[in-house]
Amino acid sequence: ESTHALATQTLRMRRPRTMRVRVDGALGMGVSAKDLALHILRVIGTAGGIEHAIEYGGEAIRALDVEGRLTLCNLSVEMGARSGLVAPDEKVFAFLKDRPFAPKGADWDAAVADWRSLASDTDAVFDRDIAIDAADVAPVVSWGTAPNESIPVDGCVPDPASADDPTVREQMRLALDYMGLTPGARIADAKVDWVFVGSCANSRLPDLRDAAAVVRGRHVATGVNAWVVPGSWEVKRAAEAEGLDHVFIDAGFEWREPGCSMCVAANGETVPPGARCVSTSNRNFVGRQGPRARTHLASPATAAACAIAGHIADARK
């Protein structure tokens, strides 16, 4: 009996808690799923989702395309969550239909009928509920060495003295020292050396379209090294079929092969020590993109704007 009780207790401990993040309203012009993910991280922190499975819902989530939802779910692990999900809908079914490994014919109809059931009941109770007003979400860029350490792209670098918790205060001080930023300074005044549009978090076809829309007819600023690394071979082929590769190349970007690349400093593809990189990846940890590399997380559109401006910039402008 004691063994059974222990096993039952262990299973209960391992069951993920549930969190609903509801985003109501409409995201503003130039605000992407990446900006939303970083905003949520600012709200709940990198430990806010520990032991939770997060379900995202609300008007703003439904308005996202499938690739945007994938970006949001990808960033769930940065919130400490076990997983992130969005209930399937017609956009998901259209995205999957006729793909190479999708069911066909009657099997497809049966699969869709089954997938429709993968949604929480309207009266479902979650362990934790978070409400976000989409109107509060702006284009975001990180300033520190954790994904939750971010501010609106037109904001100012926070001052550690504003933190009540001495542990948080020291963490902020260390992060700003590593990043070479001054409290109170406009984040847009930070000069950029590298731009990386890539990673599984944010280098799908719509991401590349967003970045290309910003750089089309413009050119990368002098002294900035800018790379585009498609998220997969399928994405690369699709982007080239649309001519996006030429848009980037003409603007002074390097059009590179799919892979993890600079996201994790793979295969020697690193940001030099002390250089500042705006990256569409999901992590800005110390040394993530190379020893002493300074990483600012941002959306593809924001990253593209930074490459053109030569400093952190607002793509809406």
Side-chain angles (χ1 to χ4, degrees):
E1 288 181 1
S2 61
T3 302
H4 175 74
L6 179 61
T8 301
Q9 181 182 13
T10 301
L11 286 171
R12 285 175 178 166
M13 290 172 62
R14 289 180 178 176
R15 180 187 70 82
R17 292 166 59 81
T18 57
M19 179 190 299
R20 174 169 51 195
V21 176
R22 184 176 180 86
V23 187
D24 288 314
L27 295 174
M29 181 187 71
V31 180
S32 71
K34 179 63 161 291
D35 299 308
L36 176 58
L38 293 175
H39 180 91
I40 295 170
L41 268 157
R42 292 175 65 203
V43 172
I44 72 173
T46 54
I50 288 178
E51 291 301 313
H52 286 78
I54 301 177
E55 180 170 343
Y56 300 95
E59 297 168 81
I61 302 301
R62 289 293 167 206
L64 293 174
D65 57 25
V66 173
E67 290 88 348
R69 299 176 191 182
L70 289 170
T71 292
L72 186 59
C73 291
N74 181 296
L75 269 291
S76 299
V77 69
E78 309 309 330
M79 304 171 198
R82 290 190 179 185
S83 62
L85 64 95
V86 177
D89 59 11
E90 297 304 322
K91 287 184 180 180
V92 174
F93 307 147
F95 181 86
L96 293 174
K97 188 172 178 60
D98 296 327
R99 287 188 175 251
F101 297 102
K104 309 294 181 186
D107 289 338
W108 168 259
D109 296 334
V112 170
D114 185 50
W115 294 337
R116 289 189 191 280
S117 70
L118 301 178
S120 296
D121 297 333
T122 55
D123 60 349
V125 176
F126 291 76
D127 293 309
R128 190 178 178 192
D129 261 298
I130 304 293
I132 302 286
D133 185 344
D136 293 336
V137 185
V140 173
V141 63
S142 67
W143 58 264
T145 55
N148 65 310
E149 295 176 338
S150 61
I151 53 176
V153 71
D154 58 358
C156 294
V157 177
D159 189 339
S162 65
D164 296 328
D165 187 326
T167 302
V168 173
R169 201 157 51 235
E170 178 62 8
Q171 165 59 26
M172 291 176 67
R173 186 192 67 78
L174 291 172
L176 290 176
D177 181 64
Y178 180 84
M179 293 297 292
L181 296 172
T182 303
R186 294 174 64 248
I187 193 69
D189 290 337
K191 179 181 175 295
V192 170
D193 304 295
W194 286 77
V195 167
F196 174 69
V197 178
S199 86
C200 61
N202 235 172
S203 195
R204 302 178 183 90
L205 186 58
D207 300 322
L208 301 187
R209 290 172 180 156
D210 286 349
V214 175
V215 306
R216 185 176 278 108
R218 299 182 171 91
H219 200 275
V220 171
T222 301
V224 176
N225 293 282
W227 289 11
V228 177
V229 178
S232 69
W233 282 103
E234 183 179 355
V235 169
K236 183 175 187 286
R237 287 191 291 267
E240 290 175 346
E242 293 185 13
L244 298 184
D245 55 329
H246 293 296
V247 173
F248 288 115
I249 293 169
D250 291 346
F253 282 75
E254 288 192 32
W255 179 253
R256 301 178 70 88
E257 302 300 332
C260 289
S261 183
M262 201 179 285
C263 176
V264 291
N267 303 320
E269 298 181 358
T270 62
V271 175
R276 189 177 305 283
C277 178
V278 177
S279 174
T280 66
S281 51
N282 56 355
R283 291 182 172 175
N284 54 340
F285 302 157
V286 170
R288 169 75 173 184
Q289 292 192 294
R292 294 192 293 115
R294 293 166 168 167
T295 301
H296 294 273
L297 301 180
S299 71
T302 297
C306 295
I308 301 302
H311 56 81
I312 290 178
D314 188 340
R316 297 172 298 181
K317 299 179 180 179

